[in-house]
Amino acid sequence: MFTIVFYIFSSFLAFLDCKKFLIPNNILLTMSVMLITFGLLESKIYISSIILSLLVLLFFVVILLLNRTQILGGGDIKYMMVIALYLGVKPFAVFLVVTGLVQTFALLYKQILMKRRVAPMAPAMFISVAIVDMMIYFNIYPSLF
């Protein structure tokens, strides 16, 4: 149920981000509560995941304070915190690399072919989580460490 909740909510958030460049707080809060509930029931959430989620918040707060012209929106940061809660520490490191690559290709596509300046980040993060989950399922990602 933990994984199902994450994928259902994430697909809805990716769709909303594509259409409206918006990640609603109430959906993120509901998703977080359900992930924590099912994660505790299924023993899939660890204290390290919660600490990682808070470290993601701290990192982006510092970045936003240092660079006030940052394009990254608050919804993307909160969604990344939920992803950190879902994935855990080691898979989150792989996720950061994969999402960087996916977002780069999405931006290139939007800028070169569609002549737009920005691209929604939630779909790229959602695709990256799916890739990392497949890497874990097929036992590919441990060879990266």
Side-chain angles (χ1 to χ4, degrees):
M1 208 55 198
F2 180 70
T3 304
I4 292 170
V5 165
F6 179 80
Y7 276 98
I8 288 173
F9 277 93
S10 290
S11 59
F12 187 66
L13 288 173
F15 175 77
L16 277 177
D17 199 23
C18 278
K19 292 296 180 185
K20 299 181 179 182
F21 288 98
L22 179 70
I23 299 178
N25 289 334
N26 56 356
I27 294 174
L28 280 172
L29 182 63
T30 305
M31 180 181 182
S32 299
V33 168
M34 291 183 78
L35 279 177
I36 290 171
T37 303
F38 288 118
L40 290 174
L41 290 174
E42 297 175 14
S43 299
K44 291 188 176 181
I45 287 192
Y46 305 102
I47 192 73
S48 60
S49 299
I50 295 169
I51 292 170
L52 177 64
S53 189
L54 295 174
L55 286 175
V56 167
L57 175 64
L58 180 66
F59 174 76
F60 282 111
V61 165
V62 169
I63 293 293
L64 290 174
L65 288 175
L66 293 176
N67 185 4
R68 298 201 186 267
T69 60
Q70 191 74 19
I71 296 176
L72 190 65
D76 298 326
I77 295 168
K78 289 179 267 187
Y79 182 51
M80 193 172 289
M81 288 174 57
V82 173
I83 290 171
L85 192 66
Y86 171 74
L87 286 177
V89 178
K90 286 184 181 178
F92 188 74
V94 177
F95 160 79
L96 289 175
V97 173
V98 173
T99 200
L101 293 171
V102 171
Q103 187 64 26
T104 299
F105 289 125
L107 278 170
L108 288 173
Y109 171 76
K110 286 286 190 175
Q111 289 178 349
I112 293 171
L113 295 177
M114 299 186 74
K115 306 293 185 208
R116 298 192 68 188
R117 185 172 175 252
V118 295
M121 194 165 175
M125 289 191 287
F126 178 51
I127 291 168
S128 300
V129 170
I131 291 170
V132 170
D133 271 347
M134 283 190 288
M135 290 172 74
I136 292 170
Y137 180 77
F138 291 115
N139 206 16
I140 295 171
Y141 112 88
S143 64
L144 296 174
F145 289 98

